[in-house]
Amino acid sequence: MEFSIGTCAKIDQVSMVKQAEDLGVSHFGVGEGPLLFSDPYQFLALAARETSTIKLGTMVTNPLTRIAPVTANSMATLNALAPGRTYLGIGTANNALRSMGNSPAKISELMHAIEVSKELMAGRRTTHTWRGQTTEVEFLDKESGYYNVTDNIPIWVAAGGPRGLAEAVKYADAIVYCLGPNTDMIKLIRSRLDKAVADVGRAPGSVKLVSLSWFYQLENGETWEDGVTNGFGSGPISSCITNAGLMDQHRDILGDQIVDASITAAQQYLGDPTAADQPHYLDTWAKYLRGLDPRHRPIITKELVDYWCLYGSPAELREKTALMRESGVDITQVFLSNPFTAQRDIDNIGHSILAHA
């Protein structure tokens, strides 16, 4: 089973990657948030030295906090430390840019960054547009060990909405989507992905679907409320934010109730930017992925938890994981929303899910 774990980079917890590898996790990715977390590439470089089989990547970087040649260099350098077991996870960004008071990247900016990074990571010359200029770029010494452009670096794209998906499949090896164990949502995204792949003339199945869920294993006597408090915190709201637009376009398949609930949660979290009492964006994001912010607890309902989260008893976790794969997910991924409890969660994933795969 291909099973991926994502979390934010916390530099004093690099050992969790070796823990995940030993338990059978196939991929480990760390997010990028310049004001929020440790630097992902320093984290991944240390992890590369401590591991030997697990695949390492960003989950996710974006085209604005680092320009494409810088991203390509960082990945190719990591690929020299961990040959053939790196992947570039990239998207328009949610937390990284919103936490700085900025808007996410445009699809055109994302696609250009992917195209440039892909060519550079393969050792080829390409053109890069930046600050109004278009120039040729190429790694200038590919033989001296500065970077590894020989072993392929797959590209995972976090893309939502019709246009993002249609553009991403031109380059992506995998598409990352916020998905829980709801089969209607999974089948919708799977069908859209397969159509987009066919539309650009790529082979069926050439682009994998990676689900991104929020994880918690319930202990004896615990309820979904404990999952929120002790596990994924406000993580499910991120799924609402990233999927609200697409869900609104497919009410006929998904149903008004979950669509309205997800849109409402996203709006309540982000707030009204025109309101006089709107909190400062730094305050809004101050506790992001650091456990549960009590201010957001009323937003998170059981309906949203059931829809976006992989949680339950060990047996329920195995059942839900199997259901997601049967519905079209190629790689199951959980994002551990609290690095302070990540080691506990990794241990539960290994013993409750992977040990029975």
Side-chain angles (χ1 to χ4, degrees), residues 59-290:
M59 202 83 269
V60 295
T61 188
N62 66 82
L64 298 185
T65 55
R66 303 172 196 264
I67 62 173
V70 175
T71 294
N73 179 283
S74 295
M75 288 306 308
T77 300
L78 180 64
N79 204 29
L81 295 173
R85 56 186 186 98
T86 65
Y87 63 96
L88 169 61
I90 188 169
T92 57
N94 176 30
N95 60 66
L97 292 167
R98 293 187 191 276
S99 63
M100 295 193 293
N102 300 123
S103 300
K106 300 175 182 176
I107 294 296
S108 59
E109 294 172 319
L110 173 62
M111 292 307 116
H112 180 62
I114 293 172
E115 184 176 12
V116 173
S117 298
K118 186 179 183 69
E119 292 300 297
L120 287 175
M121 292 187 305
R124 295 187 288 264
R125 179 174 297 194
T126 188
T127 56
H128 176 233
T129 300
W130 182 50
R131 298 176 65 190
Q133 290 183 299
T134 299
T135 60
E136 291 187 325
V137 290
E138 181 182 11
F139 289 143
L140 298 178
D141 188 348
K142 296 183 276 289
E143 307 299 331
S144 299
Y146 291 110
Y147 19 66
N148 175 0
V149 295
T150 301
D151 293 295
N152 179 54
I153 301 176
I155 297 177
W156 292 19
V157 183
R163 185 179 168 220
L165 187 62
E167 292 294 322
V169 295
K170 297 176 182 177
Y171 309 102
D173 298 284
I175 294 292
V176 182
Y177 241 96
C178 286
L179 295 168
N182 182 273
T183 58
D184 289 339
M185 186 68 177
I186 295 172
K187 289 177 181 178
L188 170 64
I189 301 305
R190 179 82 254 180
S191 65
R192 293 176 59 87
L193 173 58
D194 291 343
K195 182 180 184 304
V197 168
D199 288 344
V200 297
R202 296 185 65 181
S206 58
V207 182
K208 294 183 177 181
L209 176 60
V210 182
S211 61
L212 189 156
S213 306
W214 308 91
F215 177 86
Y216 184 71
Q217 178 174 303
L218 295 181
E219 302 302 327
N220 290 335
E222 287 190 321
T223 67
W224 71 272
E225 289 99 333
D226 297 303
V228 177
T229 303
N230 303 326
F232 33 75
S234 56
I237 302 174
S238 291
S239 298
C240 297
I241 293 172
T242 57
N243 279 314
L246 178 136
M247 295 179 75
D248 195 36
Q249 297 174 6
H250 294 283
R251 290 176 175 269
D252 57 328
I253 297 174
L254 305 176
D256 290 333
Q257 186 170 329
I258 188 61
V259 174
D260 289 337
S262 296
I263 292 174
T264 298
Q267 292 172 339
Q268 289 177 333
Y269 182 85
L270 295 175
D272 179 2
T274 64
D277 60 347
Q278 172 70 10
H280 195 281
Y281 56 85
L282 292 176
D283 295 327
T284 297
W285 291 91
K287 293 188 177 181
Y288 180 69
L289 297 189
R290 286 165 173 79

Side-chain angles (χ1 to χ4, degrees), residues 278-352:
Q278 172 70 10
H280 195 281
Y281 56 85
L282 292 176
D283 295 327
T284 297
W285 291 91
K287 293 188 177 181
Y288 180 69
L289 297 189
R290 286 165 173 79
L292 178 65
D293 185 336
R295 295 176 299 172
H296 303 144
R297 181 62 190 85
I299 304 175
I300 306 168
T301 65
K302 186 175 187 300
E303 181 180 25
L304 295 178
V305 169
D306 288 346
Y307 203 86
W308 298 117
C309 301
L310 181 61
Y311 80 103
S313 67
E316 289 171 331
L317 290 172
R318 292 192 291 272
E319 181 181 347
K320 290 178 180 180
T321 300
L323 179 65
M324 293 174 72
R325 289 183 167 272
E326 291 167 4
S327 300
V329 169
D330 295 307
I331 301 177
T332 308
Q333 176 172 254
V334 297
F335 201 94
L336 304 181
S337 57
N338 188 347
F340 298 96
T341 58
Q343 290 176 313
R344 172 204 67 193
D345 295 333
I346 293 169
D347 189 65
N348 285 336
I349 290 165
H351 289 100
S352 296

